[in-house]
Amino acid sequence: MHRRIRHALATAAAAALTGGLLTAAAGTASAAGSGLQGDFNGDGYRDVAVSAPLATVGGKSNAGQIAVMYGSATGLKAGSRTLVSQNSTGVPGSAETGDRFGEATAAGDFNGDGYADLAVGAPGEDVGSDTDGGTVVVLWGSASGISGGTTVTDPNPTGQDNFGQSLTAGDFDPDGKADLAAGGTSAKVWIFRGGFTKSAGASSSYYTSFQIDHGSGAGAMHLITGDFNGSGGDDLIVNGYSSSTHYNTNIIIYASPTGTKLEGGSQENLAPGLITATGDLNGDGKADLVIGENWDDGISGATKGGKINVIYGNNYSSYATVSVSQGTTGVPSDPESGDAFGWEVSTGDINGDGYADIAIGAPGENLSTGSSTSVTDAGAVTVLYGSASGVSGTGSQYFHQNTAGVPGANEKYDGFGGEVQLSDVNGDGKADLTVGVNGENDWNGNVVGFLSDGQKITTTGITTFGPSNVGVSTSGRPQFGSVMAG
């Protein structure tokens, strides 16, 4: 499968601490925003920013573009969106070949006005004479949606490249303000303190160093946020290669409820994996970690077809890693080499029972077309449900493009599940499922939106839209839907 490179197109959606417990009511946008996670236009519905990081813009290949899709009572609609690139009015810079604007994104209210803002990484941006130095831009939310932006300058331009290859938002102080964490190819992750302004950006910044390899193709490849130990402050998890073992790892730094910044001495190595989500799967008030380890069993500790590693939140006590794969009782489908189960993971409360649930992408899944023919890398998504005892295969769901009611069909290299996002886009308090199909139509990409019926994900009211529906050029291979945030 001609898949995107994981660390080069990593998802960096900011995770809600409770795994999708939403309290704001849907309604009309007012002068002040709703304060709802991912609500860029303040109307009480969560929105989804869908990236096409390899889109051609103004004739510049791989410049990158984002369609910010606005939620509504009926979910996401292709006609309700804002299309943003570095050629958009008020957005710093200009679209250039290889910028990859939108390769990493993170939602958070960085200026405290009640509207969610969107941090966007363009890790291929040339900054002056610094080739591929990378840049980060914060796009501002407002009553009319995303509009304009402010540059977040790399504080370490001589020490790293690809600044903005990973992003996440969280309150690490904690002072009630959303901070922005940004990574590049160094072992340092920079924290930009909340209280941003449109004119000056962050009020201040600092860095914390991780025990990860650095240099080309390395550094902080993915970042995620959650209150893992129940301290009241957001902890930071970085995915990279361990500087001691050189194997993929996830390292956590704990926030101090009385501290003023993340301290590097508190870091702890966790299970390996290339993508991570946080959510309260067992309802104990602490964020649990879901780490996708999508590679096969030819590598020590891996599982045929891939798996997820679940680590339940703790108070600095010992913990165990619980693994779930397609071989786990109750989980649909059978494990096969190359399935890439765990390539993408997202958490949210689909049925409103107070337990976060998990969507898992397996874009390498080979599936039947309805005959005996197997379609290579058609892709599938599995949904697992949380409970007081955590997550299991009980009641799980399984979707692909030959599932009844799902538009399209299983085709070679579609990679259905190359991205997954659980968030409430229709304002009913239940998380809905948005799936990226970034290999659709020779890597043009596509997005499929499923709604929760209050108990499960359903194919009723399903929506689908591709790059042409939202104004993204299909020149080249834009991979629309390969990165989401909201």
Side-chain angles (χ1 to χ4, degrees), residues 11-16 19-20 22 37-40 46-51 69 76 105-107 118 222 224 275-277 344-350 357-361 381-383 417-425 430-437 447-452 457 481-486:
T11 307
L22 307 177
Q37 171 71 26
D39 184 5
F40 302 115
R46 285 186 70 172
D47 311 313
V48 180
V50 181
S51 294
M69 313 300 301
L76 302 178
T105 52
L118 183 68
H222 180 252
I224 197 68
I275 200 79
T276 306
E344 288 290 350
V345 292
S346 182
T347 62
D349 189 355
I350 294 167
D357 311 307
I358 311 172
I360 305 164
V381 172
T382 299
V383 177
E419 171 68 301
V420 290
Q421 170 83 5
L422 283 174
S423 60
D424 177 19
V425 297
K430 313 295 192 305
D432 309 301
L433 173 64
T434 309
V435 177
V437 195
V447 172
V448 181
F450 299 78
L451 296 177
S452 166
I457 295 296
S482 58
V483 176
M484 298 181 196

Side-chain angles (χ1 to χ4, degrees), residues 18 35 48 251 315 323 327 350 363 411 441 471:
T18 54
V48 180
I251 300 175
N315 289 308
S323 296
I350 294 167
E411 297 171 316
N441 296 330

Side-chain angles (χ1 to χ4, degrees), residues 245-334:
T245 66
H246 308 295
Y247 288 113
N248 184 269
T249 187
N250 285 271
I251 300 175
I252 188 168
I253 287 186
Y254 295 100
S256 168
T258 59
T260 59
K261 63 180 184 177
L262 294 172
E263 299 292 348
S266 65
Q267 61 186 274
E268 179 177 340
N269 284 281
L270 304 172
L274 282 175
I275 200 79
T276 306
T278 61
D280 188 0
L281 305 171
N282 58 2
D284 67 354
K286 304 181 187 69
D288 308 311
L289 291 179
V290 182
I291 302 171
E293 187 180 350
N294 66 77
W295 47 84
D296 280 303
D297 52 0
I299 300 174
S300 177
T303 296
K304 184 177 183 180
K307 64 182 177 181
I308 61 170
N309 296 306
V310 178
I311 303 175
Y312 293 100
N314 69 96
N315 289 308
Y316 295 97
S317 59
S318 61
Y319 58 85
T321 300
V322 178
S323 296
V324 180
S325 72
Q326 289 174 303
T328 300
T329 301
V331 176
S333 189
D334 296 317

Side-chain angles (χ1 to χ4, degrees), residues 24 97 206 211 221 265 285 312 369 399 423:
T97 300
Y206 66 93
Q211 296 165 6
M221 295 185 290
Y312 293 100
T369 59
F399 298 98
S423 60

